[in-house]
Amino acid sequence: MSQSRTYEVRTYGCQMNVHDSERLSGLLEDAGYQRAAEGSTADIVVFNTCAVRENADNRLYGNLGHLRPVKDAHPGMQIAVGGCLAQKDRGEIVRRAPWVDVVFGTHNIGSLPTLLERARIGREAQVEIEESLETFPSTLPTRRESAYAAWVAISVGCNNTCTFCIVPALRGKEKDRRPGDILAEVRALVAEGAIEVTLLGQNVNAYGSEFGDRQAFSKLLRACGEIEGLERVRFTSPHPRDFTDDVIDAMAETPNVMPQLHMPLQSGSSKVLKAMRRSYRQERFLDIVRRVREKMPEAAITTDIIVGFPGETEEDFQETLHVVREARFAAAFTFQYSKRPGTPAATMDGQLPKEVVQERYERLVELQESISAEENRKLVGREVEVLVAEGEGRKDGDRRRLSGRAADNRLVHFATSLRGANSEHSATSLRGANSEHSSTEEGDNAPRPGDLVTVEVTYAAPHHLVADSGVRSLRRTRAGDAWAARNGQQQEQPGVLLGMPKVGVPAAEPAAAGGCCDA
């Protein structure tokens, strides 16, 4: 195979899909492919799909249709479709789009290079869908999209049976990695420069169920706290059913576990929760929120909420509004219920008219927006430490700002001026040789993605904070050095196109809930 063949991976969906795409990129590069330059036509286009929304298939086939004339004009071009929708639709994809060369599922992403080569040599489509996990994804080559922050999968699959969710049917039963393997991956990432990891699974706090340790997740959090150089640990998403005091204690007592929790509510009505088969009730959820805040008063709690589940009455919806008022979420990803074929909820009685769901959705968004704004305004005048990020602020260039995440995962846009900034240069375990300098010129001391800055919040909006008074202190890190080493060679990365947005970012439009990482 020619070394010049290029690839592009288009990612749709949740954090698990984003992480899987890092594996797909790593596999292709390990097989000799190169990432296509921005604006060029790739020799291989891979769709990593999501089955979250009701019209996910229409979006996929629309995109495949747009690619058909491109492929016709580029002999040798190949198209591959993987992920949850491929697992669900199987041979249907090739039937509806016969110009697709490869279809692979969620359990065999490691087969992609081989399937592409088979399709190229045999000149016929290759469809391979495994019913169970072939190789744990974290054992595969990886092309990390960030030099300073990384996903680390601790499990795949889900043992829950939520009536609205198709994920267990597509991802399979929960499979847990051994703690030693997870910690070895985290240590390797830190050695490469990362200072933040997000532990990832469909239901992270059920971790350990496969090998019979109900406290395995809290032990894992505490073990991450002992890794030198690891500054920030996050996780997503936990299930309220499995959220126990040992996890709360581990969060509160482990300094590098961030004061942030994303815990899906889905509905505030105990009756609707029962119909969803969620195995907890309103009182249980609010009790967890109370206990988290007792141990971590500054914790930012975010959630997912579905509006218009079959049979939801106005009284049920009022219960959801009650929980939102009581919990005072920092943010909520609000979704209009969407049927997914193959789920029990799709055939339930009491499917609600679109206009009823839309009106409730708008009321919920209005309430949550007001609470988010009020909670964020409490931070005006306070100093926060921000991990500088790449690509978080779309208007940063126009406004001479950079952006990043505070410890509680709030998005912060900050002015890049170094007024009174104290650039720290004392030796620490996070500082690399390239950072050991004493210049105070702004050009030399400009914060880089991966560096940590302290700023004072000057303005608050519902979905972000602004700090326009200048950087109070700057700590240049090995993560910033790692970013600088990659800068100039790294191309702009594609965004997530469909499904659950990043934690801390509001949903831009109504969508179906129950994505891969919705617990």
Side-chain angles (χ1 to χ4, degrees):
M1 182 179 63
S2 170
Q3 294 295 306
S4 63
R5 282 172 66 79
T6 59
Y7 76 90
E8 174 190 356
V9 179
R10 301 185 185 182
T11 307
Y12 298 76
C14 66
Q15 293 96 328
M16 187 66 78
N17 270 21
V18 174
H19 189 39
D20 282 349
S21 288
E22 292 184 326
R23 306 292 180 193
L24 293 170
S25 295
L27 283 161
L28 291 170
E29 293 189 7
D30 195 55
Y33 296 92
Q34 298 175 2
R35 175 166 288 195
E38 184 181 0
S40 67
T41 299
D43 297 308
I44 310 294
V45 178
V46 182
F47 291 87
N48 189 10
T49 64
C50 172
V52 164
R53 296 184 181 181
E54 186 178 9
N55 63 346
D57 54 348
N58 293 332
R59 289 171 178 263
L60 171 65
Y61 295 120
N63 287 327
L64 291 175
H66 291 145
L67 265 188
R68 184 175 189 176
V70 179
K71 183 180 180 183
D72 290 343
H74 292 79
M77 181 181 180
Q78 291 181 290
I79 300 171
V81 179
C84 287
L85 195 61
Q87 187 80 21
K88 181 172 77 73
D89 283 0
R90 303 170 184 252
E92 180 71 8
I93 292 173
V94 173
R95 188 188 69 79
R96 292 182 59 177
W99 55 95
V100 169
D101 300 276
V102 170
V103 178
F104 62 101
T106 59
H107 299 308
N108 63 320
I109 65 175
S111 301
L112 176 60
T114 300
L115 295 172
L116 286 168
E117 191 67 1
R118 283 184 196 164
R120 185 182 69 84
I121 294 171
R123 297 189 177 184
E124 64 177 6
Q126 301 292 309
V127 179
E128 186 175 288
I129 304 292
E130 298 293 337
E131 296 301 328
S132 59
L133 192 65
E134 186 179 79
T135 303
F136 202 96
S138 291
T139 64
L140 301 173
T142 307
R143 187 192 193 281
R144 299 281 179 177
E145 304 295 355
S146 170
Y148 50 87
W151 304 108
V152 175
I154 68 171
S155 64
V156 295
C158 182
N159 293 335
N160 294 315
T161 57
C162 301
T163 55
F164 57 81
C165 186
I166 199 169
V167 169
L170 303 180
R171 290 277 182 177
K173 292 292 186 181
E174 181 176 324
K175 294 288 184 182
D176 295 332
R177 293 176 72 190
R178 304 304 298 183
D181 294 339
I182 296 168
L183 295 171
E185 182 179 353
V186 174
R187 292 189 188 99
L189 289 166
V190 172
E192 293 169 2
I195 62 173
E196 176 178 295
V197 298
T198 300
L199 305 177
L200 184 63
Q202 261 80 45
N203 182 9
V204 289
N205 56 338
Y207 173 72
S209 60
E210 192 179 22
F211 49 84
D213 186 351
R214 293 182 61 84
Q215 295 192 341
F217 185 60
S218 62
K219 292 174 183 176
L220 183 63
L221 291 177
R222 291 184 186 276
C224 286
E226 298 175 1
I227 297 177
E228 184 177 359
L230 179 59
E231 297 220 10
R232 293 185 170 194
V233 178
R234 305 187 191 278
F235 58 88
T236 191
S237 289
H239 193 294
R241 181 195 65 188
D242 301 305
F243 212 98
T244 48
D245 284 341
D246 63 296
V247 173
I248 297 172
D249 291 340
M251 292 176 65
E253 295 166 8
T254 309
N256 64 357
V257 175
M258 295 293 94
Q260 172 240 332
L261 172 64
H262 182 77
M263 185 169 63
L265 167 66
Q266 306 301 11
S267 174
S269 163
S270 293
K271 185 195 81 176
V272 173
L273 288 170
K274 182 178 181 181
M276 289 178 168
R277 220 180 282 158
R278 288 292 287 172
S279 68
Y280 60 88
R281 300 297 177 258
Q282 179 192 112
E283 296 77 12
R284 162 76 173 158
F285 188 94
L286 288 174
D287 186 56
I288 294 171
V289 170
R290 177 187 58 78
R291 285 184 284 136
V292 168
R293 292 230 165 94
E294 284 178 354
K295 293 293 181 74
M296 294 171 286
E298 302 302 315
I301 302 175
T302 56
T303 197
D304 301 323
I305 301 173
I306 299 173
V307 177
F309 188 79
E312 179 189 81
T313 65
E314 176 62 25
E315 290 73 21
D316 295 321
F317 179 66
Q318 288 297 327
E319 290 295 303
T320 295
L321 298 182
H322 168 72
V323 174
V324 170
R325 294 187 188 100
E326 289 292 310
R328 298 196 65 80
F329 300 114
F333 303 120
T334 51
F335 305 94
Q336 296 187 30
Y337 171 74
S338 177
K339 283 185 181 180
R340 271 167 284 177
T343 63
T347 57
M348 283 183 176
D349 294 334
Q351 304 285 333
L352 300 181
K354 169 66 177 176
E355 58 272 18
V356 172
V357 179
Q358 180 68 33
E359 190 272 338
R360 289 178 186 171
Y361 174 82
E362 291 172 0
R363 277 191 282 158
L364 174 60
V365 169
E366 181 180 11
L367 174 61
Q368 182 57 53
E369 292 271 301
S370 67
I371 292 173
S372 296
E374 290 168 8
E375 293 299 305
N376 283 354
R377 281 196 292 269
K378 294 177 182 178
L379 298 174
V380 173
R382 293 177 55 178
E383 289 190 348
V384 295
E385 185 178 62
V386 176
L387 174 59
V388 184
E390 184 175 33
E392 288 272 27
R394 289 175 294 178
K395 299 180 181 178
D396 283 351
D398 297 338
R399 299 180 179 178
R400 296 181 60 81
R401 290 175 179 152
L402 294 176
S403 295
R405 296 280 168 174
D408 62 11
N409 210 40
R410 283 182 166 94
L411 178 62
V412 183
H413 305 298
F414 62 93
T416 56
S417 59
L418 302 178
R419 291 179 208 166
N422 174 26
S423 182
E424 301 175 13
H425 301 292
S426 58
T428 75
S429 61
L430 291 175
R431 189 152 298 109
N434 292 342
S435 296
E436 304 287 347
H437 58 80
S438 58
S439 170
T440 58
E441 293 297 317
E442 186 169 335
D444 291 339
N445 275 354
R448 308 162 299 179
D451 287 338
L452 289 157
V453 298
T454 301
V455 296
E456 181 183 324
V457 178
T458 56
Y459 170 80
H463 305 299
H464 66 269
L465 304 173
V466 174
D468 273 344
S469 60
V471 175
R472 298 297 176 88
S473 67
L474 161 66
R475 177 151 61 89
R476 296 169 73 80
T477 68
R478 284 194 307 111
D481 293 341
W483 177 87
R486 289 172 56 167
N487 194 32
Q489 302 170 1
Q490 182 154 332
Q491 302 165 12
E492 184 176 346
Q493 305 302 332
V496 181
L497 303 177
L498 173 66
M500 179 178 170
K502 288 188 261 182
V503 173
V505 181
E509 58 178 293
C516 282
C517 294
D518 286 1

